[in-house]
Structures are given as structure tokens and as C-alpha cells.
Amino acid sequence: SNLVIMTDAIKDINNPNNLIKVYPVPSSGLITINMKGTGFENMEITDALGRQIYNQMLSPQLKDNTIHVDLSTLSDGVYILHINSQHGLLNRKIIIQK
């Protein structure tokens, strides 16, 4: 799994109610991000060099959020989805392949 969680306090970091799914992988550009649970504050997508290419604020109180993002203008390659939540930082790999 490509899940990385960092937290500054002892929390239930394996909470099964807070799951992130990104699909399809690889993608031709249209991706779906499914966030199960609550506490998600914002998300960003960066390229392999760490440059931000997408940013969106999220509603922490919203439960089970699904977001569609069009990355079809990006070059083929690997990108990283970063989601900040009240439970820590979660990362997912996005592969664009047209």
C-alpha cells in the first residue's frame, strides 16, 4: 500500500473509517478520489519535484466525500496526492498514462 500517515499525537492511525481510494491507476487524466470518513481538511497534488499542481480545501465535517479531478492536461508521469486530515497526512500515488 502507498499509505503514509504521520501524526504528532498518539491517535488511532489505523482507523478503518478513514480510507482514501484513488482510481483508476494508471489514469488517462480523469481521476476519482474517494474519502471515507470525516476530518479531511485539504488536498493537493504535486509532481515528482514537489511542485503543487492542484489544491482544494475540504470540509472536515463532511462524511464520505468523492471528488473528481481532471488531470488530462498533465504530462505522463507519477504525481502524488497529499490529503491533510485531523488524523495526519495521507499520500497516494497517481500515475498519468495516456
Side-chain angles (χ1 to χ4, degrees):
S1 153
N2 293 323
L3 175 63
V4 176
I5 300 177
M6 293 178 283
T7 180
D8 56 0
I10 303 297
K11 294 179 182 171
D12 182 8
I13 60 172
N14 294 316
N15 185 345
N17 296 321
N18 289 287
L19 299 174
I20 311 257
K21 290 185 180 143
V22 179
Y23 54 90
V25 178
S27 170
S28 60
L30 292 170
I31 63 166
T32 299
I33 301 159
N34 181 258
M35 291 167 275
K36 193 169 176 62
T38 59
F40 301 107
E41 296 168 337
N42 78 293
M43 60 177 253
E44 72 171 346
I45 297 172
T46 59
D47 65 13
L49 298 175
R51 294 176 296 206
Q52 184 182 90
I53 52 174
Y54 183 86
N55 189 31
Q56 182 174 331
M57 297 303 293
L58 303 170
S59 300
Q61 69 277 10
L62 198 59
K63 188 173 184 347
D64 299 347
N65 196 5
T66 298
I67 296 173
H68 304 281
V69 181
D70 184 357
L71 303 175
S72 59
T73 59
L74 297 177
S75 302
D76 285 10
V78 176
Y79 298 86
I80 306 295
L81 167 69
H82 308 272
I83 296 182
N84 289 302
S85 81
Q86 295 166 350
H87 309 285
L89 176 66
L90 298 93
N91 297 324
R92 284 286 188 278
K93 192 183 295 183
I94 297 169
I95 299 170
I96 302 296
Q97 191 173 46
K98 297 175 195 135

